[in-house]
Amino acid sequence: MLDRYHVNRKLKERLYFTKPALQDEIRKGLREYRWEPLQGLLDTAETPAETPEELVHVQKLRQYVRRNWISLAPLKVRKIAVSSSGMGACESNHRIYSYRMKKQGRHWSRAGGTAMVKVITDIRNQELDPAFAGWTQGVTAPVSRTFRGTMRRVMRKIPFQTHVGIHHGRICNASPSSSAMGKLAKSFSTPAFL
């Protein structure tokens, strides 16, 4: 299935020599999913073509549209049920997966990779919180007496410490002004640096 990004990119690649208004009309024709008006628009795109190469580009675009016509059909025409928020994460949003999954040379087992993709997709589709809430309902972990006793002992052992705030400091320069440290200290104190 093609997504809007790739179709628009192909349209811009092939019809670089036409006016943007004509490209917009072709996009509109693709959205309406009617072959006859679109055929007429592609015929119109041949008119400003001045070189044989530009004519070839229009022909290639025509073949591309004809070859992928079924994939260009809107979801309503295909009778596919879609929520109001859309289909969710798709091919053009592959970055959210590749950045998380491949960064720093990571590798995953099949089970771990599948689980991570499900979590990323649920986050992207804003479905993770409801899924997690449904999963945790009915799950109760009994708290043992030893666990409670251990936590009490730990909490008693940690003394409360007040926060003293930000510590202000400065570098003391006890070196002659001809040394490297002296020159550095002098450069910090000059107004040009500030």
Side-chain angles (χ1 to χ4, degrees), residues 109-181:
S109 66
R110 181 177 286 277
T114 304
M116 183 56 70
V117 167
K118 285 180 182 177
V119 168
I120 292 171
T121 303
D122 284 347
I123 290 170
R124 184 73 175 179
N125 293 336
Q126 297 175 349
E127 298 171 350
L128 183 65
D129 291 337
F132 187 70
W135 177 76
T136 57
Q137 287 176 348
V139 176
T140 56
V143 179
S144 67
R145 296 180 94 188
T146 53
F147 177 75
R148 273 186 258 164
T150 304
M151 288 308 292
R152 281 192 197 113
R153 280 195 304 279
V154 167
M155 295 306 283
R156 263 188 254 133
K157 288 182 182 177
I158 300 172
F160 180 75
Q161 297 175 351
T162 58
H163 182 65
V164 293
I166 299 172
H167 294 281
H168 295 281
R170 63 180 205 175
I171 299 173
C172 178
N173 182 24
S175 356
S177 60
S178 61
S179 71
M181 283 303 292

Side-chain angles (χ1 to χ4, degrees), residues 1-4 7 33 64-75 78:
M1 183 171 137
L2 292 174
D3 61 350
R4 187 178 296 173
V7 174
Y33 195 65
Y64 176 79
V65 170
R66 188 177 294 134
R67 186 174 55 245
N68 296 302
W69 186 247
I70 294 171
S71 298
L72 295 171
L75 298 175
R78 296 189 219 174

Side-chain angles (χ1 to χ4, degrees), residues 10 20 32 55 57 59 84-85 105 130 132 134 156 170 175 188:
K10 185 63 76 173
E32 292 174 356
L55 282 173
H57 279 301
Q59 290 303 318
S84 61
S85 62
F132 187 70
R156 263 188 254 133
R170 63 180 205 175
S175 356
F188 283 136

